[in-house]
Amino acid sequence: MPQNEHIELHRKRHGQRLDHHERKRKKESREAHERSHKARKMIGLKAKLYHKQRHSEKIQMKKTLKMHEQRKTKQKNDDKTPEGAVPAYLLDREGQSRAKILSNMIKQKRKEKAGKWEVLKVIRTGKRQKKAWKRMVTKVCFVGDNFTRKPPKYERFIRPMGLRFKKAHVTHPELKATFCLPILGVKKNPSSPLYTTLGVITKGTVIEVNVSELGLVTQGGKVIWGKYAQVTNNPENDGCINAVLLV
Amino acid sequence: MALYNFKKIMVVPTSKEFIDITLSKTQRKTPTVIHKHYQIHRIRHFYMRKVKFTQQNYHDRLSQILTDFPKLDDIHPFYADLMNVLYDKDHYKLALGQINIAKNLIDNVSKDYVRLMKYGDSLYRCKQLKRAALGRMCTIMKRQKQSLEYLEQVRQHLSRLPTIDPNTRTLLLCGYPNVGKSSFINKVTRADVEVQPYAFTTKSLFVGHMDYKYLRWQVVDTPGILDHPLEERNTIEMQAITALAHLRSAVLYVMDLSEQCGHTLKQQLELFNNIRPLFANKPLLVVANKCDIKKISELTEEDKKIFADLTAEDIPVIETSTLTEEGVMMVKTEACDKLLAARVDSKMKGKKVHDVLNRLHLAMPAKRDDKPRPPFIPEGAKVGRKTMEVDAPKRKTERDLEMEMGDDYVLDLQKYWDLMNQDEKHDVIPEIWEGHNIADYIDPEIMKVKEELKVKDEEMQEIRQLAKQIREKRKMKIVCSKEKDVHGPRMPRTVKKVERKTLEKEMGGLGLDMTGKDAVSRFSFSSHYAVNARRSRSVTVLKKRKREASVAPTSRTRSQSASRPPRDQSGVRDPKMAKKAKKLMKSQQKDMNRQGKKGEADRHVFDLKPKHLFSGKRKSGTNDHR
C-alpha cells in the first residue's frame, strides 16, 4: 500500500465501524427513493437534460432485462461500428412507415420555406449610394485555384472570401465512410444556371471531387481521381459541405 | 518544479462532464434573449459571443491541464524516470499531445465559424451556424475521452507519491525482499511501513525522516530487488532501481544472515555484485540483519569469508537486529557520517566553495606567556555530553517499570506529588461534602487568605461588639417612639386641609414673607390655576376637623382630583388656552399620522422594493410574483 493512503491503511489495521455493513446496505437501499425524489423535484433545463439521460438509461435497462428472458434482442453498443449492407429481407423492419415519411417531408418543406432568403444580396454603391447594380453572393460558393477577381470597379458578382470553401465531407454510400476531399468544381446547381456559373453551392448541387485518396481503379487499370457528389445539407447554415458520392 | 508538489494539479474531468460543464456555463453566462426583429448586427454579435465564449472556456481549461501536468524534461531526472516507470513516458506524452491538438482544433473551429457568421443574414442562419460550431467543438472533446481518463488516473497516482527531495541527505535501503529493510526504517524513523512475512510487502517507495547532528535526514525504503537482468524487471523493482540510480545518497545494502528471506547468502552476494555499478560514487554500507537468530561468528567459513572480503574492500559490515535494536544506532551513525564526509568532500571540490573559503578565516591567538589557558567547559555540559554519548537511560521510566511488572503494573502518578505532608500522597480526595461540590470551592491561595483573616479577626471582634450595641440601642428607640402613638390612624396627606394660619406661621418661621393677600394666594393657590375657585372655597371654609366629628370631605374623589390636575389641564390658564394647546398637539401629529408612524420616536424606513425580488433573470417558476 503506498505511503500516503491513510484511509485504506487505517481500514486495514483497525477494520471498519461495527455497523458499517448495515449502514452501507441501508444507504444503498435508500438510493432508489432519493433518485425518484430528485427526478420529481427537479425543474428547468437541468431537469430536461436529466430526464433525457435517464430515459436512455431506462431503455438500456429494459433491453437488458428482456435479454435475460429472450436472447434475440440486440443492445446498443457504442464501440461497434455500424454495419454496411442490409439484406433485403431485413429492409422492411428497418424502413420507416409511409406516414412517417410523409410527415417528415412536410416538416422539411416547412423548414425550407422558413429559412429561404435571397441568394444574391444587393450592394449599393456610388457617391449617394443610389447605384444598385452589384450583387453579393450570400451562400457558400466555390472558386477555382486560378481564380482572380475582376477589377473591383467592374465586378458585378462579389463572392466573399469567407464563404469560399475548398473541401467537402463526402460520404461513400456503400462503405458508409466519410472523407474530406478537395472540390474540383461545381457541375450543376439545380436552382439556376446562373448559380452554376457563379459556383454557388446549395443543397442538391452536384459537385466534382478529387477521389484519388480513395484509390479507385477502373477496369482497364486507370486510376480514378475525379467523381461527382451531391450536396446533402445547407452549407450556409452548417458551415461545412456534406455530400454523398454518386457511384 | 522546485517543490515537487504534484498535489496542485487540477482535477481532469471526464469528456462528458467537460462538455456538460462548458455548455451549461455558456448558457448561464451569456445573454439568452434574442428576437427576430433585432438589427442584424446585434443578432450576429449575440451568436458570435456564444461561439467565442465556448471556445474561450475550452481553451482555458485545456491550457490549464497542459501547464499543470509536469513536463518530463523539466523535472529532476529521478522523478522523470519514476514517472516513466509508473506511467510510461510515451503514453503520457501522447495523451498531452492529443489534448494540445484538441485545443488547437477548437480554436480553429471557432475562428472559422465566427468568420462565417459575418455573412449571416437572418436569425435562423446565425443560430444554425452557432449550433454547428458548438457541436463541432463538443465532438472534438468527445474524441478525447481516452486521453482524459488516462490523465485523471495519472494525476491521482502522482498526487499520492511520497515527496522525496532528491538533493538532500538521503539513506537508501536496498536488498532482497523480506530481509528487514522496512523494519529498519520503522525503527529509525516515524514512518509506519507495513512489515509482513511474505515477499514484496513494500510495493512502492517509502520515505521517513530522522534527525542526526541537528540535521534532517531522509530514509528511503525500496521494494525488494530480485536477481535477474534489467530488461526482465517489473514495475515494482524498477522503482527501486530508479531510486538507486538517481538519488545521491548513502546506500545501505541489507542482507539476511539467517536466510529466512528464502535466499542464501551466496545469492545475496550475487545480487550485490550485479547491482554494484549502481553504487558508484556513493558511500556504501552492508547491514547484516537478523543477527539475533544467527551471528556472523556462527556462520560457515565460506560465508564468513564473504564478509571478510567486503571488509577488506573498505565497505563496513555491521551486524544488526531490528527486533532487539542491536546495532541499529551504529548503522545510522556510520552511514550518516560517511555521507556527510562525502558531501563535504564534493562541495570542497566544487567551484562554489572558493568564494566562501575566501571569506573564512580561522584566527589563532598568539601565545603571550607560558601560562596554560585551556577552554572552560562547565560541569553540567560535560555530564550532559557524557549521557548523550553513552545513550543509556538516565532514570527508570514508567515504561521500563511496566515491562518489568507485566500484568501487575498500575499507573500511579500520585507518587510524584510534592506535598507538605508526604504521608498524604495516596489519600483519596473527597469530591462532595454536605451537598456541595468541593471543586467549586478550591482556591489555590487559600493558605494566604487564612493568614490574613487571622490578623483581621482581632480588630473585627471589637468592631462587631460596637456594632451590636448600636443596633440594640436603635431598636430600643424605635420601640419607644412607637409606643408614643398620640395621633392614632392617620389620613393621607392629600386629603388634609391646610389652614391659612398654619401656613402663614410655618412659612414665616422659615423666613418667607407672607404678608399681603397676593403672597398667600400666589403661594398656595394663585389665580393662575383653574381649580382656583374650588380651592379658594376650601380655604375660606376653615374648619378644623376633629377626630370625633369625623366629617368627611365633600367628595373624596373630587378632592383628590382637585389636588392633582389632569395633564392636559395642568399649566393651562383658561379654556381658550386649552383649546389652543390641543390644536397645536393635533397639528404636530398630522404629519406623523399621514406617514403611518407609531409616534414621534418611530424612525423605521420601509423597504418597499427589495432588490432580490426585482432583479435577475426570469428563471423557472411562475410569474405570479413579478
Side-chain angles (χ1 to χ4, degrees):
Chain A
M1 184 173 295
Q3 191 165 15
N4 45 12
E5 279 184 7
H6 301 289
I7 299 171
E8 286 81 354
L9 192 64
H10 181 275
R11 239 179 242 160
K12 199 169 176 186
R13 288 198 176 149
H14 307 281
Q16 283 157 340
R17 287 173 74 121
L18 294 166
D19 53 0
H20 169 84
H21 294 288
E22 185 182 336
R23 274 166 61 121
K24 190 164 165 210
R25 179 180 58 86
K26 292 191 98 164
K27 187 162 188 188
E28 278 165 16
S29 65
R30 253 183 274 137
E31 261 206 65
H33 293 285
E34 281 171 17
R35 203 188 300 139
S36 92
H37 177 87
K38 205 167 55 148
R40 270 182 294 125
K41 296 292 180 190
M42 231 193 271
I43 48 173
L45 181 68
K46 209 167 158 183
K48 276 190 201 159
L49 293 170
Y50 177 77
H51 287 310
K52 188 165 161 206
Q53 182 199 347
R54 184 79 186 134
H55 186 59
S56 62
E57 267 177 36
K58 279 193 166 168
I59 294 171
Q60 286 306 309
M61 274 200 305
K62 280 189 185 149
K63 279 197 181 160
T64 334
L65 286 172
K66 259 209 174 143
M67 212 162 66
H68 288 310
E69 295 168 19
Q70 322 159 351
R71 284 181 221 158
K72 287 188 191 158
T73 356
K74 270 188 241 169
Q75 212 176 358
K76 186 164 90 157
N77 201 339
D78 283 322
D79 302 331
K80 244 176 39 170
T81 49
E83 282 170 22
V86 173
Y89 56 88
L90 281 177
L91 266 173
D92 262 317
R93 227 166 282 176
E94 292 187 15
Q96 294 163 324
S97 64
R98 272 206 80 92
K100 194 132 198 245
I101 292 173
L102 275 173
S103 73
N104 277 353
M105 267 170 50
I106 294 170
K107 280 190 199 155
Q108 194 74 348
K109 281 229 169 83
R110 224 180 278 152
K111 229 200 292 182
E112 269 177 33
K113 269 213 157 147
K116 219 178 185 97
W117 67 91
E118 274 308 307
V119 178
L120 297 169
K121 181 176 161 198
V122 178
I123 304 274
R124 290 187 167 271
T125 51
K127 193 175 186 176
R128 288 181 184 85
Q129 300 285 307
K130 270 186 9 182
K131 303 185 175 189
W133 55 274
K134 279 181 181 267
R135 299 281 182 275
M136 186 172 86
V137 173
T138 56
K139 301 220 174 196
V140 160
C141 53
F142 172 76
V143 297
D145 269 344
N146 47 7
F147 172 76
T148 35
R149 291 164 65 187
K150 276 193 160 140
K153 188 166 171 182
Y154 300 110
E155 70 178 340
R156 188 137 160 240
F157 292 102
I158 300 174
R159 279 163 282 188
M161 276 179 78
L163 290 173
R164 292 187 203 159
F165 276 67
K166 289 198 206 156
K167 287 197 164 200
H169 304 294
V170 183
T171 315
H172 197 291
E174 272 147 39
L175 301 174
K176 301 276 180 197
T178 314
F179 309 91
C180 194
L181 305 172
I183 306 174
L184 293 171
V186 172
K187 177 76 169 106
K188 181 152 179 69
N189 191 319
S191 318
S192 150
L194 172 65
Y195 297 162
T196 315
T197 48
L198 279 177
V200 174
I201 301 180
T202 54
K203 187 168 181 173
T205 313
V206 175
I207 57 174
E208 196 177 354
V209 286
N210 183 344
V211 294
S212 50
E213 209 182 86
L214 301 179
L216 303 168
V217 185
T218 60
Q219 290 266 347
K222 295 208 187 114
V223 175
I224 304 174
W225 73 284
K227 262 191 168 296
Y228 293 133
Q230 191 168 32
V231 176
T232 52
N233 74 328
N234 282 323
E236 68 273 3
N237 285 347
D238 297 331
C240 54
I241 308 176
N242 299 343
V244 129
L245 203 61
L246 298 173
V247 285
Chain B
M1 279 182 77
L3 278 171
Y4 301 104
N5 189 2
F6 297 134
K7 299 184 206 284
K8 289 261 179 78
I9 306 179
M10 269 236 149
V11 179
V12 178
T14 60
S15 74
K16 187 170 176 296
E17 262 177 35
F18 206 153
I19 295 172
D20 281 343
I21 291 170
T22 315
L23 287 180
S24 73
K25 201 165 184 188
T26 313
Q27 199 248 336
R28 276 179 295 124
K29 306 268 182 173
T30 51
T32 49
V33 179
I34 190 84
H35 288 295
K36 252 199 310 192
H37 58 78
Y38 286 1
Q39 295 191 312
I40 189 67
H41 69 84
R42 195 169 158 188
I43 298 175
R44 275 192 208 132
H45 179 80
F46 174 85
Y47 284 112
M48 275 202 267
R49 184 172 168 178
K50 287 198 188 270
V51 172
K52 280 207 213 131
F53 188 86
T54 314
Q55 177 253 335
Q56 192 68 42
N57 272 325
Y58 274 129
H59 183 99
D60 286 343
R61 210 60 192 266
L62 291 172
S63 316
Q64 193 189 39
I65 292 175
L66 289 172
T67 49
D68 273 348
F69 275 88
K71 283 213 207 35
L72 290 179
D73 307 320
D74 287 347
I75 54 178
H76 193 275
F78 165 63
Y79 276 103
D81 241 357
L82 193 65
M83 282 175 74
N84 184 12
V85 165
L86 292 168
Y87 317 128
D88 189 14
K89 187 163 74 167
D90 294 331
H91 198 173
Y92 180 81
K93 280 192 170 170
L94 266 172
L96 286 178
Q98 294 277 15
I99 301 285
N100 198 19
I101 290 174
K103 186 178 77 164
N104 289 333
L105 283 175
I106 289 176
D107 288 346
N108 287 339
V109 162
S110 148
K111 239 190 295 177
D112 283 338
Y113 277 87
V114 163
R115 192 167 18 104
L116 270 175
M117 221 179 284
K118 287 192 214 146
Y119 300 100
D121 279 350
S122 65
L123 181 124
Y124 178 75
R125 188 160 158 188
C126 293
K127 186 172 178 182
Q128 295 298 92
L129 283 171
K130 162 233 173 207
R131 207 161 152 259
L134 294 198
R136 257 183 134 157
M137 289 193 233
C138 293
T139 316
I140 295 173
M141 281 323 295
K142 252 203 274 185
R143 292 205 301 252
Q144 307 304 321
K145 188 168 153 190
Q146 307 279 12
S147 307
L148 290 170
E149 270 175 21
Y150 169 75
L151 284 174
E152 172 62 15
Q153 284 175 356
V154 167
R155 181 198 75 87
Q156 282 183 359
H157 198 274
L158 205 53
S159 70
R160 293 211 166 99
L161 288 182
T163 41
I164 301 177
D165 187 351
N167 297 321
T168 182
R169 303 159 284 275
T170 320
L171 299 179
L172 196 57
L173 296 162
C174 60
Y176 262 101
N178 249 353
V179 293
K181 305 185 287 293
S182 302
S183 321
F184 185 83
I185 192 176
N186 280 343
K187 283 277 173 276
V188 172
T189 67
R190 279 203 72 196
D192 225 348
V193 185
E194 258 196 276
V195 175
Q196 296 282 351
Y198 57 88
F200 287 106
T201 316
T202 310
K203 291 197 255 292
S204 63
L205 297 175
F206 280 79
V207 81
H209 294 85
M210 65 181 197
D211 290 324
Y212 179 73
K213 280 199 178 153
Y214 308 108
L215 292 169
R216 208 105 242 240
W217 296 75
Q218 261 179 168
V219 184
V220 176
D221 179 23
T222 64
I225 317 172
L226 294 173
D227 193 11
H228 40 225
L230 191 65
E231 297 79 40
E232 294 170 23
R233 293 203 184 277
N234 61 20
T235 320
I236 302 176
E237 291 171 343
M238 276 309 290
Q239 290 182 54
I241 301 287
T242 314
L244 267 175
H246 290 288
L247 293 177
R248 226 166 43 106
S249 62
V251 179
L252 277 82
Y253 185 76
V254 185
M255 295 181 78
D256 183 357
L257 286 173
S258 65
E259 301 181 0
Q260 272 183 353
C261 62
H263 304 276
T264 63
L265 276 173
K266 259 217 163 47
Q267 288 175 324
Q268 296 183 38
L269 184 68
E270 268 291 315
L271 176 66
F272 179 76
N273 288 328
N274 281 342
I275 54 176
R276 201 74 186 268
L278 287 168
F279 298 160
N281 303 335
K282 297 192 172 97
L284 182 57
L285 210 75
V286 171
V287 178
N289 204 11
K290 305 195 190 170
C291 73
D292 52 315
I293 305 172
K294 212 171 198 182
K295 291 209 178 302
I296 289 187
S297 39
E298 295 168 21
L299 289 173
T300 61
E301 277 303 319
E302 34 180 90
D303 291 338
K304 267 197 213 165
K305 200 164 142 313
I306 298 173
F307 291 109
D309 283 339
L310 286 171
T311 330
E313 287 175 32
D314 216 7
I315 305 170
V317 177
I318 303 175
E319 278 189 346
T320 59
S321 166
T322 49
L323 203 62
T324 62
E325 293 193 44
E326 181 194 325
V328 168
M329 282 300 132
M330 210 162 44
V331 169
K332 178 176 149 184
T333 48
E334 260 299 322
C336 293
D337 285 337
K338 269 192 118 181
L339 183 63
L340 266 180
R343 277 174 80 99
V344 167
D345 263 342
S346 67
K347 278 198 181 125
M348 293 293 283
K349 282 191 215 139
K351 285 186 276 183
K352 283 197 228 171
V353 79
H354 287 296
D355 37 336
V356 178
L357 272 182
N358 287 338
R359 289 187 244 154
L360 290 177
H361 170 65
L362 185 63
M364 299 296 290
K367 281 194 180 242
R368 272 196 298 185
D369 48 24
D370 285 325
K371 189 168 170 191
R373 289 188 176 90
F376 174 70
I377 304 171
E379 276 304 315
K382 276 199 194 142
V383 171
R385 203 193 288 174
K386 212 195 298 185
T387 53
M388 211 166 74
E389 280 176 2
V390 164
D391 199 36
K394 294 158 210 89
R395 64 175 182 142
K396 200 163 193 179
T397 58
E398 285 295 323
R399 176 84 179 140
D400 295 330
L401 217 62
E402 187 183 346
M403 300 302 274
E404 269 178 30
M405 294 172 68
D407 278 339
D408 306 328
Y409 174 70
V410 172
L411 178 65
D412 182 23
L413 290 171
Q414 289 179 332
K415 66 184 178 207
Y416 292 119
W417 287 358
D418 180 21
L419 301 170
M420 280 202 314
N421 186 356
Q422 294 287 330
D423 299 332
E424 290 171 353
K425 263 199 241 182
H426 293 276
D427 283 354
V428 176
I429 301 170
E431 288 176 14
I432 296 178
W433 185 68
E434 289 202 351
H436 298 288
N437 203 351
I438 290 184
D440 293 339
Y441 295 95
I442 290 183
D443 180 9
E445 313 263 293
I446 194 70
M447 299 311 290
K448 233 199 293 181
V449 172
K450 233 174 132 185
E451 290 297 321
E452 286 173 22
L453 276 180
K454 234 190 227 169
V455 167
K456 272 203 211 149
D457 224 11
E458 283 93 40
E459 307 165 6
M460 282 309 290
Q461 289 277 30
E462 295 168 18
I463 294 172
R464 275 208 204 97
Q465 276 276 21
L466 203 57
K468 198 172 172 190
Q469 283 170 3
I470 292 171
R471 253 181 257 130
E472 279 175 16
K473 191 83 186 281
R474 207 157 146 239
K475 278 197 196 127
M476 290 298 293
K477 272 198 165 177
I478 290 167
V479 167
C480 288
S481 75
K482 274 202 179 137
E483 279 174 8
K484 277 194 266 165
D485 186 16
V486 176
H487 298 282
R490 292 179 171 238
M491 298 294 290
R493 206 165 65 115
T494 49
V495 180
K496 198 164 136 197
K497 296 205 190 300
V498 181
E499 288 187 38
R500 192 195 176 113
K501 253 198 292 189
T502 49
L503 192 65
E504 277 181 5
K505 197 172 25 157
E506 270 179 39
M507 291 304 154
L510 286 171
L512 201 66
D513 184 25
M514 292 300 284
T515 56
K517 215 156 65 163
D518 306 43
V520 175
S521 58
R522 189 189 344 111
F523 195 84
S524 53
F525 318 106
S526 66
S527 54
H528 241 355
Y529 298 96
V531 292
N532 169 32
R534 249 186 272 148
R535 274 288 182 158
S536 43
R537 244 183 282 130
S538 63
V539 165
T540 49
V541 180
L542 288 173
K543 262 201 185 99
K544 219 180 194 159
R545 251 187 311 118
K546 285 181 197 132
R547 211 200 299 174
E548 294 90 324
S550 70
V551 171
T554 42
S555 156
R556 187 134 173 192
T557 51
R558 202 172 276 170
S559 59
Q560 252 184 345
S561 60
S563 59
R564 241 187 273 154
R567 288 183 94 185
D568 57 350
Q569 288 167 9
S570 69
V572 173
R573 223 176 308 160
D574 46 22
K576 189 168 149 223
M577 198 177 172
K579 209 169 163 186
K580 191 173 177 188
K582 197 159 188 176
K583 199 168 163 194
L584 278 173
M585 175 192 79
K586 293 275 179 211
S587 73
Q588 222 186 18
Q589 281 183 346
K590 235 187 275 177
D591 200 24
M592 288 194 286
N593 288 344
R594 191 172 50 80
Q595 291 181 349
K597 292 199 187 291
K598 285 187 228 153
E600 51 183 33
D602 181 7
R603 268 181 244 271
H604 180 80
V605 176
F606 284 96
D607 183 10
L608 295 169
K609 289 179 90 187
K611 188 169 172 196
H612 66 281
L613 294 177
F614 287 89
S615 67
K617 291 189 183 172
R618 271 174 192 272
K619 284 200 171 157
S620 51
T622 58
N623 286 344
D624 289 349
H625 51 271
R626 216 203 315 162

